[in-house]
Amino acid sequence: MRLRTLTLAMASGAALLAAGLMPANALATPAPKTAQEGSVSAADLLAKVKSCSQISSGKYKTDEETSATIPVCGKNGAVFWKADMDIDCDGQRTTNCNEDRDPWFQDDTAFHQSDGKPLKSESLPYVVVPSTSGIWNYSDAGIKGGGVVAVIYDNKVEYAVVGDTGPQDIIGEASYATAKALGIDPDPATGGADSGVTYILFKNSKVSPIESHSAAVSLGDQLAKQFLANN
């Protein structure tokens, strides 16, 4: 994951426009999904995370240039935060995730597929967690690579896995595939959502293999039902 800044993203987009090199689909937001994943509604999940019992020692920024306003909150069986969504396009090189499309591209992810290769951001829904710091240690909270995450945006639920780690002081990032599934512009240089994204990470969960999205949906639906029952 890269150290993204609002200024750099805007400058990159402006340079491409000026040069007439902006990809044809860069300004078009993908059509929203018509149906959510699983049987638990976004409204029911959001009703359980209206208030925050802060478990992080401090708060996170959503970008390099913003102030720290986002806490990590605790619930029975899960942690959550409400933030923006920057696009993580790291891992295996694909048509839309590579050095040409992503100014911050890195060819690796913190957690790997069952065959040892990095994850594929373009096809696998995954979420980025902040690297361990004095603010918060995700592993101490029962969050691990391959753990299930319910990502909620615009009344839709997308199940993802914990797939990468990011800067110690920034929160709110997910893979190209996660954004696209939720109807968020997935372009790594110009896309993302400024706000309105809720991330619910289920403690002590793990999808096996990590690259199986169907396994994430199945386990996620089960854990979401437990979450509703226990909170």
Side-chain angles (χ1 to χ4, degrees):
M1 179 205 169
R2 78 286 305 150
L3 290 171
R4 184 185 305 277
T5 69
L6 293 173
T7 300
L8 186 54
M10 292 172 66
S12 175
L16 286 170
L17 280 171
L21 296 177
M22 184 68 77
N25 64 347
L27 300 180
T29 300
K33 289 178 62 179
T34 56
Q36 69 165 30
E37 292 186 329
S39 61
V40 178
S41 71
D44 285 345
L45 287 172
L46 291 175
K48 298 295 185 178
V49 294
K50 287 184 176 180
S51 61
C52 174
S53 176
Q54 183 172 331
I55 62 171
S56 55
S57 297
K59 296 182 179 181
Y60 289 94
K61 300 184 290 184
T62 56
D63 294 286
E64 278 292 307
E65 298 176 353
T66 60
S67 56
T69 60
I70 310 297
V72 176
C73 311
K75 299 290 285 188
N76 289 330
V79 302
F80 75 92
W81 55 81
K82 300 180 181 182
D84 65 344
M85 183 185 287
D86 289 330
I87 308 302
D88 185 58
C89 226
D90 295 339
Q92 295 187 47
R93 290 178 177 82
T94 57
T95 301
N96 288 299
C97 289
N98 54 61
E99 293 90 340
D100 294 331
R101 294 297 302 276
D102 183 1
W104 308 274
F105 178 77
Q106 297 178 30
D107 62 359
D108 200 5
T109 50
F111 306 106
H112 292 169
Q113 296 180 163
S114 55
D115 62 3
K117 294 180 180 179
L119 303 181
K120 286 185 178 180
S121 176
E122 186 169 350
S123 59
L124 180 68
Y126 69 73
V127 165
V128 179
V129 295
S131 294
T132 296
S133 71
I135 302 175
W136 183 57
N137 184 328
Y138 66 88
S139 61
D140 285 350
I143 305 304
K144 61 187 71 176
V148 183
V149 187
V151 188
I152 307 167
Y153 179 78
D154 194 23
N155 205 36
K156 294 184 291 291
V157 179
E158 175 72 9
Y159 288 106
V161 292
V162 175
D164 204 359
T165 57
Q168 294 181 338
D169 59 346
I170 295 177
I171 207 166
E173 187 169 10
S175 68
Y176 184 106
T178 308
K180 186 175 181 180
L182 289 169
I184 296 171
D185 182 352
D187 187 284
T190 61
D194 291 334
S195 62
V197 185
T198 299
Y199 304 82
I200 302 176
L201 292 75
F202 298 109
K203 295 179 180 179
N204 301 311
S205 63
K206 189 168 185 177
V207 174
S208 183
I210 190 174
E211 66 268 22
S212 173
H213 181 57
S214 61
V217 175
S218 178
L219 181 57
D221 193 50
Q222 174 187 335
L223 293 173
K225 292 175 182 177
Q226 293 178 8
F227 179 73
L228 295 185
N230 295 334
N231 288 280

